[in-house]
Amino acid sequence: MAGWKGTILEIDLDKHFSKVAPLNMDLARLFIGGRGLGARLLWDLVDPGVDPLSPENVLVFTNGPLTATGYQTSGRFSVSTKSPLTGTILDANSGGYWGMQLKRAGYDVLLVRGRSADPVWIEIRNGEVLFHDAGSLWGLGVFAVTDRLEQNNNRRNVLCIGPAGERLCKIASIMNDRERALARGGAGAVMGSKNLKAIVVEGRERPEIVDRERFKFMLYETRKLLSASPLTSQVLPEFGTVMLMNIMNNIGALATRNHQFTQFEGAEAISGEALTDKHLVGTASCWACPIGCTRISRTEHVESEGPEFESTWAFGAQCGIQDLEAIIEANSRCNDLGLDTVSAGSTIACAMELSERGYLAADLRFGQAESLHPLLEGMAFRNGLGGQMSDGSYLLAERCGHPELSMSVKRMELPAYDPRGMQGQGLLYATSNRGGCHMRGNMVGPEVLGLPKLIDRFQVQGKSSFVILHQNVSAAIDSLVVCKFTNLGVADEYFARVLSAVTGIHYSTGEMHRVGERVWNLERLFNLREGFSTADDTLPPRLLQEAPVNGPTKGWVVHLEPMLQEYYRGRGWDQNGVPTQEKLFELEIADLLEESRQAWTEQAQHPIL
Amino acid sequence: MVVLLYGKLRQIAGERQIMASGTSVRSVLNDVFTQHPWLEEAVLMDGRIRTHCVLTINGQIIIDLDTPVGEADQIALFPPVAGG
């Protein structure tokens, strides 16, 4: 067996027991690894209606057949679970070193079940699984835990939760390698609900590669392509992702003050240019990554990785804040507390609007940089005003009687790109299987940046085919698992070729896209089984009804309905958004349809959230 | 009119914005390149906007260099950017 190790390490926290089980290689061929394999395992492991924070939910950590081979950006890994924030299927993926180390330890999958009676941390080392008392770690931040458990980037890697995960905050992240995040959807709360503080991995095994000469050639080709692309060789290493701030603002697609506006007067002050000029002290990269997009930023008080574009936006334009130092420090604080920066920032923005409109009893106003630190502390520790925000913007706004002011899809806070200026992005958000997210495909490439070709961002008709393609490719890349930035320089075709070289199984480019489509449809079935329907494929009312009154997107709302109908047809789904039997048969997952039909009928009557 | 520069283009020109004149995007750019010759290499290739560079007029993305402009318009020039 090559690429895959063929093993699942199962950990039962009820009994503090572990065993190694074989990986079903038919499933591995169909779903590859990462997000896809995680979704398929989750389908069998989590019954419909399970409370995400109960012992019946599971955490499925997955790497892929390329992981630890040395292929460029193959250090990534994924966690799959049922999200406490959205109630949907969730996967989040992260870079750093931990995923590579899990593969070197000999496992494709780490499955965590049950709940420990007391706080525990797990050490996986030299074929042994050790359960340690985490009493002395409970309550500590991510940075302290990572140091105490002796993180060493190439030898020993730490994954853990912070105080937010311990307190089951529904926007809690899982952190690895100190400042890398499995950020979105509240996976940190699932880990906290299991009383699991950390997982430390050490490994020395090397994955087998079937055609080593072909693989070496693919390494060479990929290196050449990444060097030739200005995006991966210059833009990301020199300026990072925050360079998007000014362009999104210029075209009127930068969500501002809880999406009340589409341009921010302080964008220049929080831009990539400003970050580079004033705060950048170094760069870093994940394992086997030649791109190196990570920023190291310094203020008077912290030196920290990041902030990325989304985090800078969430604490910046979305909150009306143009104090870049405060934003850098808020990002760093979230990493230590184990909070998703996008959801945390956007929830604060929601609270600011609720407060300004008199719906929330607080003296909170847009632009108050000094409010960030205490609110984040309160969020993570569930106290004070911040404590009302621990579970994200939707529950906060609902408690205040105005759920429409939560800028979320399926209760997950939206990212920076305001879809009123990018119609395809609106469709992408509405149909995202894990909620409001730009990592399920991102239309900023074709709609704004001309990647690979520029299309009309305001066009509605025909947009769904681009969205479907981007979603499928995204799912395939997340299943390999490699970094999506690689795809800026390397065409999909190369991923199929390198996967074939490593595994000895022939994958064509078409088959790679079919894997992505299979994963997307499986995730759809999971959500249908949980009671979700077409009614959930929508956007906050503001984006559908309130047009900007000035700027480049003046007069535009998202014209979702026509795009949605076109999308369902393009996906091969019926008008209720349910995958047809023919489509599932074509994708080799028709056996799951009947099972899901029975369950989703029952679940629709008793939704879990 | 004002031509705004970002990222690498700002570093090349050493300025955030340039005052330039012309009646079309092409003529305005020619004025910009007269002031800062190195920018031409970074922005144009074969007489067209380079792949992945973005030019906007008042926030609308433009690819046709013959698009007319007026004194009150604002042009912005972005080098390739990426991220998520």
Side-chain angles (χ1 to χ4, degrees):
Chain A
M1 191 176 314
W4 296 278
K5 303 298 292 187
T7 53
I8 299 176
L9 175 61
E10 289 189 30
I11 290 178
D12 183 339
L13 286 174
D14 291 331
K15 300 171 186 164
H16 285 204
F17 171 78
S18 71
K19 68 172 183 179
V20 178
L23 174 66
N24 179 330
M25 293 311 297
D26 288 334
L27 294 188
R29 180 184 64 79
L30 288 171
F31 294 93
I32 304 182
R35 171 178 159 190
L37 186 59
R40 183 61 188 86
L41 295 173
L42 211 62
W43 175 268
D44 288 338
L45 292 166
V46 178
D47 289 334
V50 159
D51 179 345
L53 297 179
S54 72
E56 285 70 39
N57 197 7
V58 298
L59 287 165
V60 186
F61 295 94
T62 48
N63 50 51
L66 301 186
T67 310
T69 59
Y71 185 69
Q72 286 88 348
T73 77
S74 66
R76 296 192 78 83
F77 70 105
S78 186
V79 66
S80 298
T81 190
K82 181 175 173 182
S83 165
L85 180 68
T86 63
T88 64
I89 194 166
L90 173 71
D91 92 281
N93 76 48
S94 177
Y97 291 73
W98 193 90
M100 170 276 293
Q101 205 67 260
L102 179 66
K103 184 72 166 288
R104 283 190 177 171
Y107 309 110
D108 301 304
V109 179
L110 169 59
L111 166 62
V112 183
R113 302 170 182 269
R115 173 185 288 158
S116 175
D118 298 302
V120 66
W121 69 275
I122 294 168
E123 187 173 25
I124 302 167
R125 184 161 52 103
N126 300 331
E128 272 191 306
V129 178
L130 305 169
F131 295 83
H132 300 285
D133 177 9
S136 63
L137 300 177
W138 207 253
L140 293 183
V142 168
F143 300 163
V145 172
T146 305
D147 291 343
R148 282 229 199 151
L149 298 183
E150 300 172 350
Q151 162 90 8
N152 177 327
N153 272 353
N154 280 311
R155 196 175 59 79
R156 176 181 169 91
N157 296 92
V158 177
L159 171 148
C160 65
I161 56 170
E166 292 175 9
R167 284 161 183 77
L168 313 185
C169 298
K170 292 182 178 181
I171 56 171
S173 57
I174 297 174
M175 304 297 295
N176 65 283
D177 302 303
R178 192 178 173 94
E179 297 202 73
R180 311 302 308 186
L182 298 146
R184 309 226 62 196
V190 178
M191 195 157 151
S193 76
K194 297 185 177 304
N195 270 326
L196 177 58
K197 181 68 177 178
I199 306 173
V200 179
V201 190
E202 289 184 36
R204 292 182 186 164
E205 293 186 24
R206 293 286 189 276
E208 196 182 320
I209 295 169
V210 167
D211 189 339
R212 193 161 280 280
E213 286 308 308
R214 191 176 168 204
F215 176 72
K216 279 185 192 168
F217 180 69
M218 294 308 301
L219 281 180
Y220 163 74
E221 287 264 283
T222 303
R223 188 166 54 243
K224 201 169 61 176
L225 290 164
L226 292 176
S227 298
S229 164
L231 302 174
T232 49
S233 66
Q234 294 171 35
V235 175
L236 288 169
E238 284 186 36
F239 292 100
T241 57
V242 197
M243 271 293 284
L244 284 164
M245 193 71 70
N246 275 325
I247 191 167
M248 298 315 298
N249 189 56
N250 182 270
I251 65 164
L254 187 70
T256 299
R257 293 184 171 83
N258 205 34
H259 288 71
Q260 293 182 93
F261 308 96
T262 54
Q263 288 185 304
F264 180 44
E265 72 282 2
E268 180 68 46
I270 61 169
S271 65
E273 289 89 339
L275 185 71
T276 303
D277 288 347
K278 296 175 185 166
H279 299 286
L280 184 71
V281 292
T283 61
S285 61
C286 300
W287 188 77
C289 175
I291 302 171
C293 68
T294 303
R295 315 283 85 192
I296 310 290
S297 306
R298 184 188 291 156
T299 72
E300 193 181 334
H301 303 107
V302 301
E303 183 171 314
S304 184
E305 284 192 16
E308 299 297 330
F309 168 59
E310 290 295 341
S311 312
T312 311
W313 160 80
F315 295 118
Q318 185 73 331
C319 291
I321 289 172
Q322 46 184 301
D323 180 340
L324 192 49
E325 291 213 2
I327 293 168
I328 293 168
E329 289 168 11
N331 175 71
S332 176
R333 197 69 199 107
C334 278
N335 289 348
D336 195 26
L337 294 167
L339 281 168
D340 169 15
T341 54
V342 176
S343 283
S346 207
T347 300
I348 291 172
C350 178
M352 286 173 164
E353 184 174 358
L354 289 166
S355 173
E356 285 196 351
R357 291 181 184 274
Y359 303 146
L360 175 68
D363 187 23
L364 202 52
R365 298 289 179 269
F366 284 107
Q368 289 177 337
E370 68 281 7
S371 68
L372 293 178
H373 188 89
L375 289 176
L376 293 173
E377 296 289 323
M379 249 185 232
F381 289 97
R382 285 194 183 273
N383 58 38
L385 181 59
Q388 297 183 51
M389 306 174 198
S390 304
D391 294 324
S393 64
Y394 187 87
L395 290 182
L396 168 72
E398 188 181 51
R399 277 197 301 272
C400 294
H402 290 276
E404 75 281 2
L405 295 184
S406 164
M407 294 300 118
S408 60
V409 168
K410 301 181 180 78
R411 304 187 182 191
M412 181 185 278
E413 288 72 19
L414 289 165
Y417 312 103
D418 194 304
R420 287 169 290 194
M422 300 165 61
Q423 296 290 311
Q425 192 76 357
L427 177 64
L428 198 135
Y429 289 155
T431 56
S432 164
N433 286 332
R434 73 170 186 178
C437 159
H438 65 293
M439 298 306 288
R440 290 297 205 252
N442 193 348
M443 291 296 286
V444 71
E447 290 192 320
V448 179
L449 304 177
L451 302 171
K453 294 283 181 196
L454 187 67
I455 60 175
D456 183 348
R457 62 189 175 120
F458 296 112
Q459 176 78 33
V460 172
Q461 196 176 15
K463 217 37 121 20
S464 67
S465 60
F466 290 94
V467 169
I468 290 169
L469 177 65
H470 274 249
Q471 289 176 335
N472 290 348
V473 170
S474 229
I477 291 173
D478 286 343
S479 301
L480 281 171
V481 191
V482 294
C483 176
K484 289 190 179 78
F485 288 164
T486 315
N487 202 207
L488 294 170
V490 179
D492 311 343
E493 168 204 353
Y494 284 84
F495 298 137
R497 286 166 63 190
V498 73
L499 185 61
S500 303
V502 168
T503 65
I505 299 170
H506 176 69
Y507 285 89
S508 63
T509 311
E511 177 56 19
M512 283 297 300
H513 289 184
R514 203 150 42 247
V515 168
E517 188 180 9
R518 184 179 295 130
V519 172
W520 194 270
N521 276 265
L522 170 63
E523 292 171 338
R524 180 74 177 184
L525 288 178
F526 187 100
N527 289 348
L528 290 168
R529 193 172 73 166
E530 293 290 342
F532 287 85
S533 70
T534 51
D536 300 294
D537 294 336
T538 192
L539 296 168
R542 172 168 287 163
L543 305 181
L544 299 171
Q545 296 161 10
E546 295 177 24
V549 294
N550 50 37
T553 44
K554 179 181 176 181
W556 279 93
V557 294
V558 180
H559 297 286
L560 183 62
E561 196 51 38
M563 290 193 289
L564 208 47
Q565 287 309 317
E566 191 183 82
Y567 176 87
Y568 293 150
R569 283 195 301 277
R571 278 255 172 236
W573 298 352
D574 67 19
Q575 71 273 22
N576 295 317
V578 178
T580 60
Q581 196 153 12
E582 294 75 26
K583 173 54 70 179
L584 298 181
F585 184 79
E586 174 195 322
L587 296 173
E588 301 176 69
I589 53 173
D591 54 313
L592 306 181
L593 183 61
E594 195 49 43
E595 194 183 327
S596 59
R597 271 195 205 288
Q598 291 166 9
W600 78 57
T601 308
E602 291 163 20
Q603 277 306 307
Q605 312 302 319
H606 307 287
I608 190 69
L609 291 172
Chain B
M1 75 186 59
V2 174
V3 179
L4 302 173
L5 302 174
Y6 295 94
K8 198 79 182 171
L9 304 181
R10 191 178 281 182
Q11 289 181 346
I12 292 171
E15 296 181 63
R16 286 186 177 195
Q17 61 183 56
I18 296 168
M19 295 306 293
S21 57
T23 55
S24 69
V25 172
R26 191 184 304 278
S27 59
V28 172
L29 286 182
N30 283 338
D31 190 14
V32 168
F33 299 150
T34 303
Q35 298 176 53
H36 296 280
W38 282 103
L39 280 178
E40 182 169 5
E41 186 67 26
V43 174
L44 296 187
M45 180 174 261
D46 298 331
R48 294 180 176 181
I49 301 286
R50 265 183 183 273
T51 310
H52 311 327
C53 281
V54 176
L55 184 149
T56 67
I57 301 175
N58 306 326
Q60 303 302 340
I61 300 166
I62 300 295
I63 52 174
D64 182 358
L65 293 181
D66 293 321
T67 304
V69 291
E71 274 305 306
D73 290 328
Q74 186 185 71
I75 290 181
L77 275 171
F78 295 90
V81 296

